[in-house]
């Protein structure tokens, strides 16, 4: 490898640990959010759920536009995680592929295996995080839009 290729390889390898940590954070966030989501779903099923938007509006006032901003803010991290986790998984897959291919040229099966485990484990966990947050985002968006519609209908009366 020439010096430019070596520099690119070394710089890209610096990103592996931060990307893996971000994937673990995304997965942790997804599971914490899943717990809150399941609790909210249970509360809704039992008829004990207090509409978040109506409570926000009662506390701070505002119009339907303000409530739409509240919805966007409330869903922001779910959207970010569901969109970025697959990209992080791809990055975490591609970085170990270089060393795995180099190990393959040296007939180092153990080196190939170790790098491929990191690559595939990270992409699997990132996709799990993205899938969970996407489902929660989709359902929670519907719930919040239903609450917004309820607010708008109350204002029309």
């Amino acid at each position: 490898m020439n010096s430019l290729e070596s520099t690119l390889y070394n710089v890209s390898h610096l990103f592996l640990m931060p990307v893996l940590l971000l994937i673990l954070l995304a997965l942790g966030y997804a599971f914490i959010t899943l717990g809150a989501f399941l609790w909210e779903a249970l509360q809704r099923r039992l008829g004990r759920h207090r509409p978040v938007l109506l409570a926000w509006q009662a506390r701070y006032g505002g119009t339907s536009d303000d409530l739409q901003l509240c919805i966007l803010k409330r869903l922001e991290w779910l959207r970010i995680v569901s969109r970025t986790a697959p990209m992080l998984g791809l990055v975490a897959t591609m970085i170990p592929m270089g060393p795995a291919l180099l190990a393959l040229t040296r007939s180092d099966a153990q080196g190939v295996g170790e790098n491929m485990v990191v690559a595939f484990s990270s992409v699997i966990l990132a996709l799990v995080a993205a899938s969970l947050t996407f489902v929660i985002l989709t359902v929670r968006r519907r719930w919040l839009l239903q609450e917004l519609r309820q607010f708008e209908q109350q204002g029309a009366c």
Side-chain angles (χ1 to χ4, degrees), residues 1-12:
M1 269 195 279
N2 67 36
S3 65
L4 179 61
E5 292 168 342
S6 179
T7 302
L8 288 175
Y9 170 77
N10 289 329
V11 169
S12 70

Side-chain angles (χ1 to χ4, degrees), residues 45-72:
R45 184 168 295 258
L46 297 174
R48 295 185 200 155
H49 176 71
R50 182 171 176 227
V52 176
L53 290 181
L54 297 179
W56 186 90
Q57 199 280 331
R59 185 172 186 180
Y60 299 109
T63 65
S64 179
D65 290 338
D66 296 322
L67 291 177
Q68 287 178 28
L69 286 174
C70 179
I71 289 172
L72 289 175

Side-chain angles (χ1 to χ4, degrees), residues 33-55 71 74-75 78 135-151:
T33 306
L34 178 64
F37 171 77
L38 292 174
W39 179 252
E40 183 178 348
L42 177 66
Q43 294 298 312
R44 285 177 178 274
R45 184 168 295 258
L46 297 174
R48 295 185 200 155
H49 176 71
R50 182 171 176 227
V52 176
L53 290 181
L54 297 179
I71 289 172
R74 209 169 143 77
L75 298 176
L78 286 169
V135 168
I136 295 166
L137 170 67
T138 302
V139 175
R140 198 168 263 163
R141 181 180 342 169
R142 177 178 47 85
W143 287 345
L144 290 169
L145 289 175
Q146 286 172 335
E147 289 181 23
L148 178 62
R149 183 71 181 136
Q150 181 182 359
F151 168 77

Side-chain angles (χ1 to χ4, degrees), residues 5-138:
E5 292 168 342
S6 179
T7 302
L8 288 175
Y9 170 77
N10 289 329
V11 169
S12 70
H13 207 71
L14 289 174
F15 287 98
L16 184 59
M17 280 302 147
V19 167
L20 292 176
L21 287 173
L22 286 172
I23 289 171
L24 288 175
L25 285 172
L27 187 65
Y29 174 77
F31 280 116
I32 289 169
T33 306
L34 178 64
F37 171 77
L38 292 174
W39 179 252
E40 183 178 348
L42 177 66
Q43 294 298 312
R44 285 177 178 274
R45 184 168 295 258
L46 297 174
R48 295 185 200 155
H49 176 71
R50 182 171 176 227
V52 176
L53 290 181
L54 297 179
W56 186 90
Q57 199 280 331
R59 185 172 186 180
Y60 299 109
T63 65
S64 179
D65 290 338
D66 296 322
L67 291 177
Q68 287 178 28
L69 286 174
C70 179
I71 289 172
L72 289 175
K73 183 179 178 183
R74 209 169 143 77
L75 298 176
E76 195 168 40
W77 278 106
L78 286 169
R79 184 176 165 96
I80 289 170
V81 172
S82 70
R83 298 242 176 152
T84 59
M87 291 183 270
L88 292 171
L90 179 61
V91 170
T93 299
M94 298 308 293
I95 292 172
M97 292 294 275
L101 291 172
L102 288 174
L104 185 63
T105 63
R106 294 188 304 265
S107 299
D108 178 11
Q110 182 176 353
V112 172
E114 288 171 356
N115 284 297
M116 295 306 282
V117 164
V118 171
F120 287 113
S121 299
S122 59
V123 77
I124 289 167
L125 295 178
L127 290 174
V128 166
S131 299
L132 287 173
T133 54
F134 180 74
V135 168
I136 295 166
L137 170 67
T138 302

